[in-house]
Amino acid sequence: MKAEKTTDDESYKQLSKDDLDKLFQNLDSDVTNNRHGGIRWIEDKFLKELPGQAVKNKLLIGLGLKPKQMKQGENYEFRVRRGNVPPMAWEREWEQLSESERDRGPKIDYTRQGLYDYPEKSEYVFEDYPHLETMNELFTRWPQDELEKPPSPIIEQLIHFDFSDPKDLAMAKTFRDARVPFKVYNIPEILAAGERWTDEYVSSQFDRQDSSARSHGTCQESHDNFFAFYSPATWHTNIMGPPPYRNNDWTYQKWSNHAKYADVTSLSFDQPHFYWQSGVPPSERHEPKDKWTFVSRDLPSFSANTETFFQFQPEEQKGIQCRFGERGVTAATHYDNGQNMVAMITGAKRYILSPPKECSKLGIVTSRGNTLFRHSLLNFGHILQLETFKDIPEQERGWLERSKTSLAVETVLKAGEVLFIPSHWFHYIISLQKSAQCNVRSGVDEIGTRKFGGGQDVYDCK
């Protein structure tokens, strides 16, 4: 075995090829065998220094790490082929289930209206809106990975406006202009898309063989339910090890089968999870409509060239992003510069929103060009483990102690609803069941609000 190379910083200890190959072999074995991996802690080198802490980890500021030239068809470090391998462990279990068992769905269908208690509507944004709580309070009331044990009822803090009621829509515009989060419902095109987007329909769009108006999507895999963004061009595996997730070559239909399997079996948080993602480029809306892919066709208010309630600065539209989630998939907290409208087409997700002023408590990487830029690696579900586990790495423990005091508001975004997330608000997302969600962003609001902060609070975040 080759000796490890080191630099003047322990963060730059390099893995030998043999050691790196072994890590990937173990990862592949865990995924194909559907293994329980237990709680995955974060190595100290991946977390930035706490406020006031001396800089000892140069990894996160990218010292000496230059972007790699990524070739067409990334190697096994970032993309893995699973199409021609023998059936995976979950597939063998799935094949043993009867058709009625496969169609059983999740134990709790979070699209049911009777689960929720809603706040009264308001024509103006009152002082305590939205009401914020600490992360510790949110996760104590409803632990992240206990998806079958929600509070009863689920108390919604965000105001819900009826999109089809002119008076409600006018109130929603007031909240949008005030740069605070809210939701709208009863949106004809979203409801129609929810009816149309069956597995058969969506699969026919992604998995079709002809290239005419074919949609493109990618399946991502992680050896547990936590997905943290990174840029492959600046993720150096010889130093950083395997990335947080990899892409694979599944079809949408295979992903959909696993998502149904996750619902039916209540897949454990520490088993492999899969996430389907797709994007529509901003140029598509300028093409003839017969060239549009199904997302643009089915969500005309998102893809229009003219102003709509959801795309209110059309010249700044950056395309449409769609995320198809399965039970348990948790997306690490991050922020977007653009003002975000998020439509839940099918299923439901739990969103935890934190205002820009909370940036310093969330472990956000603000170094532009860093592989984790705009994102955090912190799994907030670990907040409840602080008293139970004594072997949590020092840096992660320090950040979790800080994060548990950060302020946030939560909401369950369910089929037929659209959530407005202002610029620079952080969002942490937990998929409660098989779901489809698409979002569009309209321009950047740098100002924010005096109470919650804005772009500068994030850019100056330490």
Side-chain angles (χ1 to χ4, degrees):
M1 188 174 293
K2 295 180 181 179
E4 293 177 329
K5 298 179 181 179
T6 60
T7 68
D8 58 351
D9 190 287
E10 191 66 15
S11 301
Y12 280 83
K13 183 183 290 184
Q14 295 195 26
L15 295 165
S16 69
K17 185 179 184 304
D18 289 343
D19 285 346
L20 186 60
D21 287 345
K22 187 174 181 179
L23 287 173
F24 277 107
Q25 289 167 7
N26 290 339
L27 176 58
D28 283 334
S29 179
D30 289 344
V31 172
T32 57
N33 290 292
N34 204 26
R35 288 200 181 103
H36 292 268
I39 296 177
R40 178 167 44 140
W41 307 117
I42 307 170
E43 292 183 65
D44 284 350
K45 67 181 180 181
F46 290 114
L47 292 173
K48 60 192 285 189
E49 279 65 40
L50 290 154
Q53 190 178 43
V55 175
K56 59 180 179 180
N57 172 16
K58 303 297 192 298
L59 186 61
L60 280 179
I61 60 173
L63 182 64
L65 295 181
K66 297 180 179 180
K68 303 191 298 294
Q69 292 294 322
M70 303 303 293
K71 299 179 180 178
Q72 186 72 23
E74 301 162 337
N75 62 23
Y76 75 97
E77 296 178 342
F78 302 103
R79 183 175 178 84
V80 59
R81 296 187 180 277
R82 302 215 179 276
N84 296 322
V85 299
M88 298 168 71
W90 75 268
E91 292 178 277
R92 295 193 293 272
E93 291 181 46
W94 180 249
E95 290 299 325
Q96 296 300 313
L97 298 176
S98 66
E99 187 172 342
S100 62
E101 288 174 318
R102 293 183 188 182
D103 293 336
R104 191 168 58 218
K107 290 183 177 178
I108 298 178
D109 181 1
Y110 283 95
T111 66
R112 287 169 38 214
Q113 294 292 337
L115 297 174
Y116 306 91
D117 186 7
Y118 298 98
E120 293 184 6
K121 297 173 185 177
S122 174
E123 296 183 12
Y124 61 93
V125 181
F126 45 88
E127 185 177 353
D128 191 38
Y129 181 86
H131 175 66
L132 304 180
E133 300 177 87
T134 66
M135 287 277 196
N136 191 58
E137 290 172 321
L138 294 179
F139 285 115
T140 297
R141 182 169 60 243
W142 188 6
Q144 172 181 293
D145 299 319
E146 295 184 9
L147 302 188
E148 278 78 43
K149 298 180 180 179
S152 182
I154 297 172
I155 307 294
E156 284 283 349
Q157 300 291 348
L158 297 186
I159 293 181
H160 294 51
F161 297 105
D162 185 343
F163 181 81
S164 296
D165 183 322
K167 183 178 178 181
D168 271 26
L169 187 58
M171 289 190 284
K173 289 179 179 177
T174 298
F175 277 61
R176 189 189 69 186
D177 293 344
R179 308 181 188 97
V180 292
F182 63 90
K183 295 200 292 188
V184 289
Y185 64 95
N186 198 19
I187 309 147
E189 72 184 65
I190 304 300
L191 295 173
E195 292 291 328
R196 187 176 298 119
W197 287 23
T198 63
D199 280 340
E200 292 74 22
Y201 174 76
V202 177
S203 179
S204 73
Q205 305 302 312
F206 284 121
D207 300 342
R208 62 197 296 176
Q209 297 303 311
D210 64 282
S211 59
S212 61
R214 177 186 176 187
S215 296
H216 297 278
T218 300
C219 183
Q220 299 173 339
E221 63 175 48
S222 170
H223 58 289
D224 61 15
N225 68 347
F226 192 69
F227 286 74
F229 173 86
Y230 70 99
S231 171
T234 46
W235 187 280
H236 294 252
T237 55
N238 62 325
I239 295 170
M240 305 165 103
Y245 62 83
R246 291 189 288 176
N247 295 336
N248 70 28
D249 58 353
W250 278 7
T251 62
Y252 172 85
Q253 186 59 58
K254 178 168 277 195
W255 171 83
S256 174
N257 285 343
H258 189 273
K260 289 188 283 190
Y261 166 82
D263 275 345
V264 168
T265 62
S266 295
L267 189 67
S268 176
F269 76 93
D270 63 344
Q271 289 180 276
H273 282 66
F274 301 83
Y275 203 9
W276 185 271
Q277 306 211 19
S278 177
V280 177
S283 59
E284 181 169 292
R285 64 200 177 110
H286 300 296
E287 297 178 4
K289 291 188 177 180
D290 62 351
K291 301 293 185 183
W292 282 11
T293 54
F294 80 104
V295 172
S296 293
R297 292 195 309 269
D298 294 346
L299 303 177
S301 292
F302 280 32
S303 53
N305 288 313
T306 55
E307 181 180 344
T308 69
F309 175 80
F310 303 109
Q311 189 192 190
F312 46 94
Q313 293 182 20
E315 68 281 0
E316 300 294 331
Q317 199 250 40
K318 301 298 183 183
I320 304 171
Q321 302 300 318
C322 295
R323 306 286 186 265
F324 295 76
E326 70 177 18
R327 179 195 185 279
V329 163
T330 301
T333 201
H334 60 284
Y335 73 90
D336 297 311
N337 290 318
Q339 301 172 92
N340 211 345
M341 289 285 187
V342 185
M344 191 60 60
I345 313 300
T346 63
K349 294 182 179 182
R350 181 186 181 190
Y351 273 74
I352 296 175
L353 309 178
S354 302
K357 283 188 175 181
E358 297 300 304
C359 181
S360 66
K361 297 181 179 181
L362 302 176
I364 298 293
V365 176
T366 56
S367 302
R368 188 175 293 276
N370 186 276
T371 189
L372 303 171
F373 177 57
R374 294 190 301 107
H375 294 72
S376 171
L377 282 178
L378 290 174
N379 185 330
F380 296 139
H382 292 175
I383 287 172
L384 297 187
Q385 311 300 336
L386 285 169
E387 302 301 322
T388 305
F389 291 89
K390 304 303 179 185
D391 58 346
I392 301 176
E394 178 183 358
Q395 202 71 0
E396 182 172 6
R397 178 177 289 278
W399 271 109
L400 291 174
E401 291 284 4
R402 187 171 178 81
S403 295
K404 75 178 186 180
T405 68
S406 66
L407 297 176
V409 61
E410 69 173 331
T411 187
V412 173
L413 184 63
K414 51 194 175 296
E417 297 179 340
V418 174
L419 168 67
F420 175 62
I421 305 177
S423 288
H424 305 106
W425 276 65
F426 303 98
H427 33 297
Y428 186 82
I429 310 162
I430 303 158
S431 295
L432 299 174
Q433 61 195 89
K434 182 174 180 288
S435 61
Q437 159 241 302
C438 295
N439 68 283
V440 67
R441 293 191 283 270
S442 292
V444 178
D445 168 48
E446 296 285 5
I447 299 171
T449 68
R450 179 176 298 180
K451 179 179 179 180
F452 297 122
Q456 203 60 48
D457 293 277
V458 175
Y459 307 145
D460 294 342
C461 179
K462 303 298 183 184

